Amino acid sequence: RYFIDWKNDVDSYFTIDATEGTIATNEILDRESTAQYNFSIIASKVSNPLLTSKVNVIINVLDVNEFPPEISVPYETSVCENAKAGQVIQTVTAADKDLSPAGQRFSFRLSPEASNKPNFTIHDYRNNTAGIETRRNGYSRRQQELYFLPVVIEDSSYPVQSSTNTMTIRVCRCDSDGTILSCNVEAIFLPVGLSTGALIAILLCIVILLVIVVLYVALRRQKKKDTLMTSKEDIRDNVIHYDDEGGGEEDTQAFDIGALRNPKVIEDNKIRRDIKPDTLRFPRQRPPVEDNTDIRDFINQRLQENDVDPTAPPYDSLATYAYEGNGSVAESLSSIDSLTTEADQDYDYLSDWGPRFKILADMFGEEESYNPDKVT
């Protein structure tokens, strides 16, 4: 009897016929995953199972060309606008997922649909590499920014496998030395002297102007709505109507003119001095006038009393002192209460006033006693 040593983990891939000893596969083998299997076969005698022998079996998996070759790495190919015909812009290589034998060769060519377009071509260097070359002078980004070049790659194994790989070629702006300056899409539509930062600044200014215009229109509409608002719509209740008229010039209570004449006095003394106070004033006790009081001193005394009187109008500069009040020895000097004629008056009391009023007593005394020539 024949059986596989169960100590190995390859029993799931292979099986053996117990009578014939034929080894067969249980699953599909992949050379790229495992190229060789190593396990043991045990043979035992049917009549005596203790008599056994073991042999190692090595199985090599042969390669089958099942994967086509492809471009090894993705390339970002670019061409300058000022490129010349025959200029190599990219070198490409290929790779195969199969475990290719030594001496595997790859070939490169353009697909039939790309052979008729005189833009780019591919040159096979016969060393598993190829170069992408230009076929005309100059390229314009404004006309076409991207070119797609289909490249066919074949291997040399049996059966031959091939694949078509599409390469993308971008047109860029370069300087005179061939150094790439810009390949951005937005650079196509911008002038040479306008940078991306300047474009962003211009866009920001436009946005700010639009916001200002929108705010201005909104404020104008709000102001117009407030102007057309009726009294019923106005819920603020801040409109006050006055139906009474002022007193005009006779309205002395409307404004204190003393504040304009002398503001410092008004701040110090809060009593209004432009009108007569309503409160009753008690008569002040004035000192009695002596018989020999001088008229000038008498007038100065009364003047000082009126100056300190808070109820006296501050704008009056002329005061008439015609009545001295009760208790005056000379009584009233005013002519308002005088008699109609001087003959009806009695001026004898002037003689009692002393030597100072002698001339006055002579003037108003008896006519025959007055002699102007004697006046000195």
Side-chain angles (χ1 to χ4, degrees), residues 178-213:
T179 304
I180 297 177
L181 299 179
S182 175
C183 290
N184 298 330
V185 178
E186 64 272 10
I188 301 176
F189 306 98
L190 295 178
V192 177
L194 188 61
S195 62
T196 305
L199 177 62
I200 295 175
I202 294 174
L203 293 177
L204 288 177
C205 293
I206 294 174
V207 171
I208 293 174
L209 290 177
L210 290 177
V211 172
I212 293 175
V213 170

Side-chain angles (χ1 to χ4, degrees), residues 328-360:
S328 175
V329 177
E331 296 181 355
S332 176
L333 298 178
S334 175
S335 62
I336 296 177
D337 296 334
S338 301
L339 297 178
T340 305
T341 60
E342 295 182 359
D344 298 335
Q345 298 184 15
D346 185 9
Y347 297 103
D348 295 339
Y349 59 89
L350 295 178
S351 301
D352 300 335
W353 285 10
R356 294 184 179 182
F357 295 94
K358 184 178 183 303
I359 297 176
L360 185 62

Side-chain angles (χ1 to χ4, degrees), residues 2-34:
Y2 303 96
F3 57 90
I4 298 176
D5 189 3
W6 295 105
K7 294 181 181 180
N8 297 309
D9 56 354
V10 295
D11 55 331
S12 60
Y13 289 95
F14 300 95
T15 185
I16 188 171
D17 185 88
T19 303
E20 299 294 335
T22 304
I23 299 175
T25 58
N26 284 334
E27 299 180 6
I28 298 177
L29 304 181
D30 185 9
R31 185 175 186 272
E32 285 71 28
S33 177
T34 305

Side-chain angles (χ1 to χ4, degrees), residues 228-375:
L228 298 178
M229 183 181 296
T230 59
S231 59
K232 294 182 179 179
E233 295 176 352
D234 191 1
I235 60 175
R236 295 174 296 177
D237 294 338
N238 58 351
V239 179
I240 301 175
H241 298 276
Y242 296 95
D243 297 331
D244 55 343
E245 297 182 358
E249 297 179 355
E250 298 179 357
D251 188 4
T252 58
Q253 300 291 338
F255 182 72
D256 184 6
I257 196 173
L260 298 178
R261 297 179 181 273
N262 195 353
K264 294 183 179 180
V265 175
I266 298 302
E267 293 179 359
D268 298 337
N269 187 6
K270 300 301 180 180
I271 301 176
R272 296 187 61 175
R273 299 176 60 90
D274 58 340
I275 60 174
K276 184 178 181 180
D278 297 334
T279 57
L280 296 177
R281 294 180 56 207
F282 296 99
R284 293 179 297 175
Q285 297 294 332
R286 297 179 180 178
V289 180
E290 299 180 357
D291 294 340
N292 57 352
T293 301
D294 188 80
I295 295 298
R296 183 180 298 174
D297 296 338
F298 174 79
I299 293 175
N300 291 333
Q301 180 182 355
R302 292 293 185 265
L303 181 61
Q304 292 177 4
E305 291 178 0
N306 283 272
D307 287 341
V308 298
D309 188 0
T311 61
Y315 48 81
D316 286 348
S317 60
L318 177 62
T320 302
Y321 306 97
Y323 180 68
E324 289 77 11
N326 298 329
S328 175
V329 177
E331 296 181 355
S332 176
L333 298 178
S334 175
S335 62
I336 296 177
D337 296 334
S338 301
L339 297 178
T340 305
T341 60
E342 295 182 359
D344 298 335
Q345 298 184 15
D346 185 9
Y347 297 103
D348 295 339
Y349 59 89
L350 295 178
S351 301
D352 300 335
W353 285 10
R356 294 184 179 182
F357 295 94
K358 184 178 183 303
I359 297 176
L360 185 62
D362 293 341
M363 292 175 59
F364 290 92
E366 294 181 357
E367 295 181 359
E368 61 275 6
S369 62
Y370 175 70
N371 188 2
D373 297 336
K374 296 181 180 181
V375 177

Side-chain angles (χ1 to χ4, degrees), residues 118-129:
N119 292 320
F120 301 94
T121 186
I122 187 167
H123 180 71
D124 191 354
Y125 297 140
R126 305 296 179 181
N127 58 355
N128 293 341
T129 61

